[in-house]
Amino acid sequence: MAYTLEGSTGTWEIVCGLEVHAQVISRSKLFSGASAAYGAEPNSQVSFVDAAFPGMLPVPNAECVAQAVRTGLGLNAQINLWSRFDRKNYFYADLPQGYQISQFEHPIVGTGVVEVTLADGSVKQIGVTRLHLEQDAGKSLHDQDPTRSFIDLNRSGVALMEIVSEPDIRSPEEAGAYLTKLRQILRYLGTCDGNMDEGSMRADVNVSVRKAGEGFRTRCEVKNVNSIRFVMMAVEAEAKRQIALWEDGGEVVQETRLFDPTRNETRSMRSKEDAHDYRYFPDPDLLPLVLDPDWVAQLKATLPELPDAKTARFMRDYGLSPYDARILVMEQASADFYERLATGRDAKQAANWMMGDFYAGLNRTGRSIETSPISADGLGELLDLIADSTINGRIAKEVLEAMIDTGERASVIVDQKGLRQVTDTGAIDAAVDKVLAANADKVAQYKAGAEKLFGFFVGQVMKAMAGKGNPALVNEALKAKLS
Ligand code: ADP
Ligand code: MG
């Protein structure tokens, strides 16, 4: 079902394209040897190149170039063996060079595609227009002093990938799904940590609206949105604003806007600048970037297995549903955890325990797979105790909770708490006799045809055995005695 918005003049469709800035994972900056690490003392990671001292020359960082190529390969995109760095000229206090080194006409990566799965199970391809490398600017700090602003140049010169999508996105959900998938691919590739809180990934959200069958109308660009949820909210808020404007007889003018999440609205920041406003020209300090096809092939050969391929393999090898496979593949760490857990065990049962009680326990204690007190082998030991009938499933839930709280091994908890399942038929028969004797009225009803009461008897016997009875044996004993 296509997503639409209703206005007073009829039905509207959203058109949206995203420009994502993703900070490259690398030890040093794009054109200097200064550290690119996050969170250091202001201005402690600034080389003469980053501070634009006269006469300093940029030297391309091969690792940043490799990261851009890996990302292009991961997006099934065209790798351009010949690309070029251009100067994008503008003046701002946090830009000491007076220009940003970027790639304008000849980006390192051309068209690609990102495949997203929506909530209704449908699959959609979102086109990638291009990916180019560029420098980040410094940061202005306005909240350190009442009358002055400070500049931190640590970020100046850090490598960014700008990944531009085609205007293929048609709903807030699709915008969220695209960003989620893109972030997942970059994290799998190890080319960007995708940490939106720290600003290592941020999106410019381009939005227009149109009536069915129309060409594109004028768009607005909502700058620097820093969470996936805010991107989805911004798409909707901006589309609604434009619809109201068109229907009011007004006209959308192309401009740059900001999203205010607390008021759920966008507001104008500045009129849109065009490419010619930046006076782009080839950077005379840098040669064109020429890549060796063998080097590209080598990068391709060493790419990790990516989410789509892994999802397909999990469905094939472990018999998982598409939904379960996608959840487990969400993060590399959860996929690795699952594979270790499922190997040599009932794969479906492993998935159920991992996504059910195990994830619930992590949630309850505010932890993630990375900080889990239980390893895959530890959870596996619990599943083995169920498989060899040492404990039953109900007791296993209790053991798992204790494992999460204490970090203790499953077998140790089972022994400490005396939770071993009772398979001794003598003990089970005794418990059954006791329950039936204490509920003579219910036994009579059961025998008169109230078969629903069987569950009641099972519950009572289990209770009498502190939950430790083997469920199959308890059922068997009850059936025998009640017939
Ligand atoms: P610029 O470089 O000026 O920002 P681009 O042509 O590179 O412009 O487009 C930037 C983004 O805007 C792309 O993600 C593209 O998909 C999107 N876009 C282009 N036209 C429209 C439109 N009419 N409505 C919504 N998004 C659009
Ligand atoms: Mg733009």
Side-chain angles (χ1 to χ4, degrees):
M1 257 294 284
Y3 178 95
T4 52
L5 290 170
E6 287 307 315
S8 57
T9 61
T11 301
W12 294 84
E13 180 181 63
I14 292 177
V15 176
C16 167
L18 298 181
E19 295 163 88
V20 173
H21 287 93
Q23 185 176 321
V24 172
I25 294 178
S26 68
R27 281 213 296 277
S28 50
K29 297 182 180 181
L30 182 53
F31 298 113
S32 86
S35 168
Y38 175 83
E41 269 294 289
N43 296 311
S44 63
Q45 301 175 160
V46 186
S47 76
F48 290 132
V49 175
D50 311 322
F53 273 49
M56 292 299 119
L57 288 173
V59 178
N61 177 340
E63 179 55 17
C64 295
V65 175
Q67 293 288 55
V69 171
R70 286 188 190 103
T71 306
L73 292 169
L75 300 175
N76 302 304
Q78 165 81 34
I79 305 300
N80 294 325
L81 297 178
W82 193 98
S83 68
R84 192 179 71 196
F85 288 107
D86 300 296
R87 288 187 181 177
K88 180 180 183 179
N89 298 280
Y90 66 94
F91 294 94
Y92 203 74
D94 61 20
L95 188 75
Q97 285 172 152
Y99 58 85
Q100 175 191 32
I101 305 179
S102 181
Q103 297 190 300
F104 179 54
E105 271 173 276
H106 299 284
I108 185 165
V109 176
T111 57
V113 64
V114 171
E115 195 173 280
V116 298
T117 305
L118 303 171
D120 66 1
S122 64
V123 171
K124 174 159 180 171
Q125 317 255 357
I126 312 277
V128 170
T129 313
R130 59 185 277 158
L131 175 157
H132 67 254
L133 275 168
E134 63 186 28
Q135 299 175 296
D136 204 350
K139 190 176 176 192
S140 305
L141 306 169
H142 303 296
D143 54 3
Q144 312 280 308
D145 186 277
T147 56
R148 294 175 300 172
S149 287
F150 294 117
I151 307 287
D152 174 10
L153 291 180
N154 282 353
R155 242 170 51 187
S156 170
V158 165
L160 299 178
M161 298 179 283
E162 177 168 336
I163 304 165
V164 183
S165 88
E166 290 290 306
D168 289 344
I169 294 164
R170 292 288 173 275
S171 67
E173 187 199 359
E174 287 181 19
Y178 170 77
L179 259 183
T180 305
K181 187 64 175 285
L182 184 61
R183 180 161 170 263
Q184 182 191 33
I185 293 170
L186 301 186
R187 286 163 69 116
Y188 263 80
L189 289 166
T191 59
C192 169
D193 66 23
N195 198 334
M196 297 185 82
D197 302 335
E198 293 176 2
S200 44
M201 195 171 151
R202 44 196 196 263
D204 298 343
V205 185
N206 295 272
V207 180
S208 65
V209 294
R210 66 176 177 185
K211 292 280 181 67
E214 276 186 4
F216 291 159
R217 295 198 184 195
T218 305
R219 74 186 141 107
C220 287
E221 178 177 6
V222 187
K223 268 278 182 217
N224 269 332
V225 187
N226 65 358
S227 89
I228 292 175
R229 196 167 61 90
F230 289 168
V231 166
M232 295 169 71
M233 287 165 70
V235 170
E236 183 163 347
E238 177 57 15
K240 285 183 171 161
R241 183 191 72 87
Q242 291 181 14
I243 290 169
L245 190 55
W246 287 119
E247 293 194 330
D248 207 31
E251 200 166 318
V252 171
V253 288
Q254 193 171 336
E255 62 180 351
T256 302
R257 301 179 68 85
L258 285 179
F259 179 61
D260 179 348
T262 53
R263 307 178 66 160
N264 193 22
E265 64 183 28
T266 66
R267 56 168 182 272
S268 185
M269 178 183 165
R270 57 169 189 251
S271 67
K272 169 80 185 159
E273 59 294 300
D274 284 315
H276 65 250
D277 294 321
Y278 289 114
R279 310 302 198 265
Y280 279 101
F281 64 87
D283 193 308
D285 291 339
L286 288 159
L287 289 167
L289 199 57
V290 181
L291 307 181
D292 176 354
D294 290 342
W295 182 72
V296 174
Q298 209 180 315
L299 290 175
K300 185 167 186 171
T302 54
L303 286 187
E305 182 182 38
L306 292 176
D308 287 342
K310 205 184 275 290
T311 302
R313 184 169 62 78
F314 276 21
M315 289 165 59
R316 198 174 60 235
D317 289 2
Y318 300 115
L320 298 180
S321 69
Y323 179 82
D324 287 358
R326 273 202 306 279
I327 298 276
L328 291 168
V329 166
M330 205 78 88
E331 301 273 346
Q332 180 91 57
S334 56
D336 291 348
F337 189 106
Y338 173 71
E339 287 214 76
R340 196 163 170 109
L341 181 66
T343 303
R345 300 196 172 90
D346 178 335
K348 182 68 194 155
Q349 191 196 27
N352 289 341
W353 275 91
M354 185 172 157
M355 292 188 292
D357 291 86
F358 174 61
Y359 274 6
L362 291 181
N363 256 337
R364 176 170 61 82
T365 53
R367 281 182 282 213
S368 66
I369 289 270
E370 283 91 349
T371 57
S372 166
I374 308 175
S375 67
D377 292 342
L379 184 57
E381 187 190 18
L382 180 73
L383 299 193
D384 294 342
L385 293 175
I386 304 172
D388 70 9
S389 296
T390 304
I391 53 174
N392 64 39
R394 210 189 64 81
I395 291 289
K397 286 174 185 275
E398 189 183 324
V399 175
L400 181 53
E401 282 207 5
M403 289 167 73
I404 294 207
D405 289 334
T406 63
E408 193 53 88
R409 286 181 51 189
S411 57
V412 173
I413 292 169
V414 167
D415 286 339
Q416 271 174 358
K417 298 196 170 183
L419 295 174
R420 267 171 203 284
Q421 177 165 252
V422 177
T423 50
D424 167 13
T425 49
I428 292 173
D429 282 344
V432 168
D433 288 340
K434 219 173 83 192
V435 165
L436 296 186
N439 294 282
D441 51 334
K442 296 235 168 49
V443 174
Q445 288 170 30
Y446 177 83
K447 288 192 168 158
E451 284 177 21
K452 286 201 310 262
L453 281 170
F454 193 77
F456 165 79
F457 295 128
V458 172
Q460 289 300 304
V461 173
M462 279 303 215
K463 200 168 153 198
M465 302 185 70
K468 294 183 285 185
N470 174 300
L473 294 178
V474 167
N475 271 284
E476 223 169 84
L478 268 170
K479 277 206 186 104
K481 304 227 176 219
L482 284 167
S483 66

